[in-house]
Amino acid sequence: AEAIKRGKFKSGFQHWENRGKDQGRTYVCLTDEQKRHGLLTTRIAYPERPCPEGEENYIHNVPEVADEIYYEIYDSAFHHWQLYGRAQGTAYICNAIDNANAASTSSY
């Protein structure tokens, strides 16, 4: 929204086309009819702790994080995701719905 206000992009779609698409983000455009009837409803349950599949996938998509973990800048890919990735729209996906069976827990 700020980039549009500053005139850097004409629309959210233009921003997605120039930046978001390459970052693996999704652009969803709803018609007024869909909005009115709630035909697209998404509930996102964000993970609460690291999980093996989330670590592997996040590092695959954001490979520089592996070095930052190695040099102890971050405790895990989940730690980086909490600080930056989530706000940037980068996925950290655990298979367990409530993430209660996560293999490792880290304190930050």
Side-chain angles (χ1 to χ4, degrees), residues 6 10-11 16 24 28 31 81:
R6 290 192 313 264
K10 293 179 183 177
S11 67
W16 172 80
V28 177
T31 65
W81 175 78

Side-chain angles (χ1 to χ4, degrees), residues 63-106:
E64 62 273 15
V65 171
D67 288 337
E68 294 168 343
I69 294 168
Y70 178 81
Y71 290 109
E72 299 180 352
I73 296 169
Y74 302 105
D75 296 330
S76 64
F78 180 77
H79 184 204
H80 183 275
W81 175 78
Q82 282 184 304
L83 295 173
Y84 305 106
R86 181 174 172 178
Q88 295 170 345
T90 307
Y92 186 99
I93 300 170
C94 295
N95 291 332
I97 293 172
D98 64 354
N99 201 18
N101 297 322
S104 64
T105 58
S106 299

Side-chain angles (χ1 to χ4, degrees), residues 2-101:
E2 287 298 316
I4 295 168
K5 286 179 188 174
R6 290 192 313 264
K8 187 170 184 177
F9 297 101
K10 293 179 183 177
S11 67
F13 178 76
Q14 185 188 36
H15 182 272
W16 172 80
E17 198 166 42
N18 291 325
R19 301 279 174 86
K21 186 168 37 173
D22 291 338
Q23 296 171 348
R25 297 184 184 178
T26 302
Y27 183 86
V28 177
C29 185
L30 301 177
T31 65
D32 288 338
E33 186 73 12
Q34 290 169 319
K35 291 176 193 175
R36 189 170 35 257
H37 293 289
L39 295 176
L40 181 63
T41 303
T42 303
R43 292 183 63 207
I44 299 172
Y46 292 105
E48 297 175 3
R49 60 182 83 46
C51 63
E53 63 274 16
E55 294 293 301
E56 181 179 343
N57 186 55
Y58 193 86
I59 290 170
H60 175 77
N61 290 318
V62 190
E64 62 273 15
V65 171
D67 288 337
E68 294 168 343
I69 294 168
Y70 178 81
Y71 290 109
E72 299 180 352
I73 296 169
Y74 302 105
D75 296 330
S76 64
F78 180 77
H79 184 204
H80 183 275
W81 175 78
Q82 282 184 304
L83 295 173
Y84 305 106
R86 181 174 172 178
Q88 295 170 345
T90 307
Y92 186 99
I93 300 170
C94 295
N95 291 332
I97 293 172
D98 64 354
N99 201 18
N101 297 322

